[in-house]
Amino acid sequence: MKGSKGVLIALSSIPLIMTLGNSMLLPILPQISKELRISAFQVSMIITVYGLIAILMIPIAGYLSDRYGRKKVILPSLILAALGGAVCVAAAWFSNGTSAYWIILGGRFIQGIGAAGAFPIVIPFVGDLFKDEKEVSKGLGIIETSNTFGKVLSPILGAYLGTLLWYAPFIAIPVLCLISCALVIFLVHKPKTEDKADPKSLKQFLTGIIETLHERGRWLYAIFAIGGICMFATFGVLFYLSEILESKYNLHGAYKGFVLAIPLALLCLASYGSGKVIGKNKPLMKWIGFGGMVVVTAAMVITALSDNIYFMVGFLSLSGIGIGVVLPCMDALITEGIEKENRGTITSLYSSMRFIGVALGPPVVSLLMNRGHWTLFGTMAGVGAVGGLLSFFAVTPSKEDSEGGGRPVQREYKMKKGNPLRQRVR
């Protein structure tokens, strides 16, 4: 595809900025708690409300993108996210205490609606723009790397901005969203398609989705759950480290940000490497995904053995590597295994599960922290083990999926009971 670098730069800016808009707040949550005089659980809801509304709105955004086009959904969504950030800034500027807190939650609600139509739509958009599966996998690896790089940058940038002004990260959100909006307008163009089918009615569309979930439910539900588990572990760990570094080790500002960035930087590198390695080899995606979940589970079990900060950061960084190799594999499996007309909605359901993980991570960890170190990380290890079992038993590509060499073939994905991802070549 001509101009593919520019397209990927523009599309990569969306997960980067959406991640910054959420994860930049993690290192300053204790600071927000003090400024607004609210509890740790209340402040965790600033992350959770964003994720909860996104969960509800993502399937709607996916349907609209399938019916009216990806770009027509992405652009208004970025503007909404910018507006939500502006509401949060206004709350901090003109109000204080619990009044400011509730207005900020309202702004985050609006921002979550915008986020629902932004990053989740990027994944199927990449599948639309590139015909070759290797290019799709590589593109998704770059998108996931951009998403993860946002997580690496966010604790450093968020902590630094917090030293200037406690609500400075909120100010950055509208600016970044408008930059991304401009990049999409000028660099991303609607892909040319040879066959332009008439838009389906809502009833036809829902029927197609139900049939897809019925035929391929086993591996789709597994991938949905694995995506949610990865995000639950990522945001739960970040919330825990943010709280413990400040309360127990007296680390603030950029110093705390750099420590939080260590596991995220390794997650970012692992995502990039995984996206380049997997190509269109679906059995390899399955086994790399399974191996990543094993690493996550083992790292959480070992972390439960000691609360030494160096020990914890080291093994939580190892869990970051595991999550980093899993995500591009799940993205590629779900994008390349679904026909274009339903791709937006199915991948949006997957993104909803990821947002469930984002929403549940901080509040669940805030409650488990009071029950002890072993309980917290034992629970995280158990959740990781569930992801590993799902990868092993439910995601089962056939041997034919590993064949990619030689002449290109047109494939139609037909799932048979008990044998997901089986292809019939036509």
Side-chain angles (χ1 to χ4, degrees), residues 1 7 59 74 97 106 135 257 330:
M1 177 184 174
V7 170
I74 287 174
E135 290 298 318
M330 299 302 108

mmCIF file of all heavy atoms in Angstrom, residues 1 7 59 74 97 106 135 257 330:
data_model
loop_
_atom_site.group_PDB
_atom_site.id
_atom_site.type_symbol
_atom_site.label_atom_id
_atom_site.label_comp_id
_atom_site.label_asym_id
_atom_site.label_seq_id
_atom_site.Cartn_x
_atom_site.Cartn_y
_atom_site.Cartn_z
ATOM 1 N N MET A 1 0.838 -1.199 0.000
ATOM 2 C CA MET A 1 0.000 0.000 0.000
ATOM 3 C C MET A 1 0.865 1.239 0.000
ATOM 4 O O MET A 1 1.800 1.359 0.802
ATOM 5 C CB MET A 1 -0.901 0.012 1.244
ATOM 6 C CG MET A 1 -1.747 1.267 1.351
ATOM 7 S SD MET A 1 -2.692 1.288 2.870
ATOM 8 C CE MET A 1 -3.391 2.926 2.732
ATOM 9 N N VAL A 7 0.461 6.300 6.992
ATOM 10 C CA VAL A 7 -0.769 5.753 7.550
ATOM 11 C C VAL A 7 -0.502 5.152 8.926
ATOM 12 O O VAL A 7 -1.250 5.402 9.887
ATOM 13 C CB VAL A 7 -1.360 4.682 6.605
ATOM 14 C CG1 VAL A 7 -2.500 3.930 7.295
ATOM 15 C CG2 VAL A 7 -1.868 5.315 5.323
ATOM 16 N N PRO A 59 -18.693 -1.745 21.410
ATOM 17 C CA PRO A 59 -19.428 -2.509 20.391
ATOM 18 C C PRO A 59 -20.259 -1.617 19.466
ATOM 19 O O PRO A 59 -20.383 -1.895 18.270
ATOM 20 C CB PRO A 59 -20.323 -3.436 21.229
ATOM 21 C CG PRO A 59 -19.622 -3.557 22.538
ATOM 22 C CD PRO A 59 -18.995 -2.223 22.769
ATOM 23 N N ILE A 74 -13.591 7.366 13.904
ATOM 24 C CA ILE A 74 -12.380 7.741 14.637
ATOM 25 C C ILE A 74 -12.305 9.248 14.888
ATOM 26 O O ILE A 74 -12.008 9.690 16.009
ATOM 27 C CB ILE A 74 -11.125 7.249 13.890
ATOM 28 C CG1 ILE A 74 -10.984 5.726 14.035
ATOM 29 C CG2 ILE A 74 -9.866 7.933 14.414
ATOM 30 C CD1 ILE A 74 -9.865 5.127 13.212
ATOM 31 N N GLY A 97 -12.114 19.983 45.920
ATOM 32 C CA GLY A 97 -12.679 18.961 46.791
ATOM 33 C C GLY A 97 -13.560 17.969 46.048
ATOM 34 O O GLY A 97 -13.328 17.636 44.890
ATOM 35 N N GLY A 106 -17.200 13.074 35.472
ATOM 36 C CA GLY A 106 -18.022 13.349 34.296
ATOM 37 C C GLY A 106 -17.178 13.548 33.050
ATOM 38 O O GLY A 106 -17.509 13.047 31.963
ATOM 39 N N GLU A 135 1.933 -8.262 6.402
ATOM 40 C CA GLU A 135 1.870 -6.821 6.598
ATOM 41 C C GLU A 135 0.873 -6.466 7.706
ATOM 42 O O GLU A 135 1.111 -5.539 8.486
ATOM 43 C CB GLU A 135 1.473 -6.130 5.288
ATOM 44 C CG GLU A 135 2.543 -6.169 4.216
ATOM 45 C CD GLU A 135 3.815 -5.440 4.639
ATOM 46 O OE1 GLU A 135 3.699 -4.352 5.234
ATOM 47 O OE2 GLU A 135 4.914 -5.975 4.401
ATOM 48 N N GLY A 257 8.204 7.828 38.219
ATOM 49 C CA GLY A 257 7.840 7.578 36.831
ATOM 50 C C GLY A 257 8.824 6.666 36.128
ATOM 51 O O GLY A 257 8.429 5.766 35.370
ATOM 52 N N MET A 330 -2.653 -12.149 19.908
ATOM 53 C CA MET A 330 -4.110 -12.134 20.018
ATOM 54 C C MET A 330 -4.721 -11.157 19.013
ATOM 55 O O MET A 330 -5.748 -11.440 18.386
ATOM 56 C CB MET A 330 -4.539 -11.770 21.444
ATOM 57 C CG MET A 330 -4.061 -12.741 22.529
ATOM 58 S SD MET A 330 -4.606 -14.451 22.283
ATOM 59 C CE MET A 330 -3.040 -15.230 21.804
#
